[in-house]
Amino acid sequence: MAGAGDAAKEYVAGSVAGIAQVVVGHPFDTVKVKLQAHNTTAYGKVYKNAFHCTSRILLEEGIRGLYKGASSSFIGIAVESSLFFGTYSQAKQLLQGNYEDGRPHLQVIIPSAACSGALISCILTPTELTKCRMQVQGKDVMHGARYSSPLDCAVKTLESEGLRGLFRGGLTTLFREAIGNAVFFCSYEYSRYWMHKYFDSPRFSSSSHFVLAKDIGIGVMSGGISGMAFWTATLPLDVAKTIIQTDPDPHLSRNPFRILSMVCKRAGMGGCYAGLGPTLARAFPANAAAIVAWEYSAKILGIKRV
């Protein structure tokens, strides 16, 4: 088990990864949330597709419209990502036990990732609620602009719905993160292991330039693949979470499976995958940036990856 110093470094590296992820991925996330919130209602679709949604945002709100709610994302993701990567790394080291062969092991990865996901869902629920409510408002929606900032959104939610309202969608977030993170880290560890095994062979150059390019390339590919795997596995739960957190009806069910059943009746199975295009378009570059930032921050801080 790593000492307190190494443990702290893991959490710092995780924060850097989270900031990189928001910078690259937030505009895609805004489009995804708008599609999920406005294309699954009983009133029909507001946007034809992701390109139509993006163009409407840019025309009516400018580039700032794509970064709505980003301030809460920066704060939330910095803390969440710190715990996400830090807790996973610590739990993995604790469970590694006698596995000294350097290979990834499902019995180590899955519980470590699920534990990390369950923990960060407590932070993600209120930060994503304010982010989503900021993102869905705009000139082209029924309710217009209700919140001036993420803080204003949080305060008004507390005033109207109490503390319980701020954690609306918490169970769905827990399911999404526990399942999704297990899928994410399994994809990451195995793709990273096999790519390193192939490129570390004698047939390739060992020059410093090649090693740098190899490490960045493997980080980009393993991070991108893992991000796409996460969202492919959990997007229906994310659709349910968005609806639960942004629907103005206070009596709406908070059971994600009832919400998905309702979405299927309204919009068919495709409704459960609303926002799939921008989600996958975001998943690869955002998670590639996160993994490269995480690995290189760890390297600069002197943390050895196994």
Side-chain angles (χ1 to χ4, degrees):
M1 188 72 176
D6 284 343
K9 290 176 183 178
E10 291 282 9
Y11 291 106
V12 171
S15 292
V16 175
I19 292 168
Q21 188 175 29
V22 174
V23 170
V24 174
H26 194 83
F28 295 98
D29 188 64
T30 297
V31 175
K32 178 206 72 172
V33 168
K34 279 186 175 283
L35 288 171
Q36 290 177 344
H38 303 313
N39 278 14
T40 56
T41 66
Y43 304 103
K45 292 185 175 183
V46 174
Y47 306 110
K48 297 174 185 176
N49 50 45
F51 293 107
H52 179 226
C53 180
T54 304
S55 63
R56 288 281 290 275
I57 294 169
L58 289 172
L59 283 170
E60 296 175 2
E61 302 174 60
I63 192 72
R64 291 181 63 184
L66 290 172
Y67 278 92
K68 267 189 175 178
S71 57
S72 67
S73 279
F74 274 116
I75 297 167
I77 289 291
V79 176
E80 173 262 317
S81 192
S82 173
L83 289 173
F84 173 62
F85 286 107
T87 303
Y88 170 74
S89 298
Q90 294 296 295
K92 181 186 168 189
Q93 287 180 43
L94 186 65
L95 295 173
Q96 199 81 28
N98 296 322
Y99 297 112
E100 300 293 341
D101 56 3
R103 293 174 61 92
H105 296 277
L106 290 176
Q107 57 267 49
V108 172
I109 299 168
I110 291 175
S112 300
C115 175
S116 171
L119 177 64
I120 63 172
S121 66
C122 301
I123 296 167
L124 276 178
T125 301
T127 58
E128 288 204 358
L129 181 137
T130 56
K131 172 184 72 69
C132 288
R133 290 187 176 185
M134 287 292 296
Q135 287 172 322
V136 298
Q137 68 181 5
K139 296 177 182 177
D140 56 347
V141 298
M142 191 186 308
H143 301 288
R146 297 175 57 197
Y147 311 112
S148 59
S149 68
L151 180 60
D152 180 53
C153 177
V155 170
K156 286 181 177 176
T157 300
L158 279 170
E159 289 174 348
S160 61
E161 302 175 49
L163 187 62
R164 188 168 177 264
L166 207 56
F167 283 86
R168 193 170 171 176
L171 179 64
T172 312
T173 306
L174 173 64
F175 287 159
R176 186 195 70 181
E177 292 302 310
I179 295 167
N181 290 349
V183 172
F184 178 91
F185 278 114
C186 284
S187 303
Y188 166 71
E189 295 285 6
Y190 277 94
S191 60
R192 177 176 178 267
Y193 172 77
W194 288 110
M195 281 190 278
H196 269 294
K197 189 172 182 179
Y198 179 75
F199 287 109
D200 289 345
S201 63
R203 77 184 82 175
F204 293 102
S205 169
S206 58
S207 69
S208 59
H209 293 298
F210 176 77
V211 170
L212 177 64
K214 177 198 71 176
D215 288 345
I216 292 175
I218 290 176
V220 168
M221 292 305 298
S222 60
I225 290 167
S226 303
M228 293 179 78
F230 176 103
W231 287 108
T232 301
T234 63
L235 192 62
L237 284 170
D238 190 64
V239 170
K241 181 196 73 71
T242 297
I243 293 169
I244 290 168
Q245 291 186 326
T246 60
D247 196 293
D249 181 5
H251 304 295
L252 181 77
S253 171
R254 299 190 185 189
N255 183 321
F257 304 107
R258 286 184 182 175
I259 295 295
L260 289 174
S261 176
M262 177 186 72
V263 170
C264 279
K265 289 176 183 176
R266 289 177 176 177
M269 184 58 78
C272 294
Y273 281 89
L276 179 64
T279 298
L280 294 183
R282 166 190 180 271
F284 195 98
N287 286 281
I291 289 296
V292 171
W294 180 48
E295 291 183 344
Y296 270 84
S297 296
K299 187 174 287 188
I300 291 167
L301 292 169
I303 303 168
K304 186 179 179 182
R305 288 272 176 255
V306 294

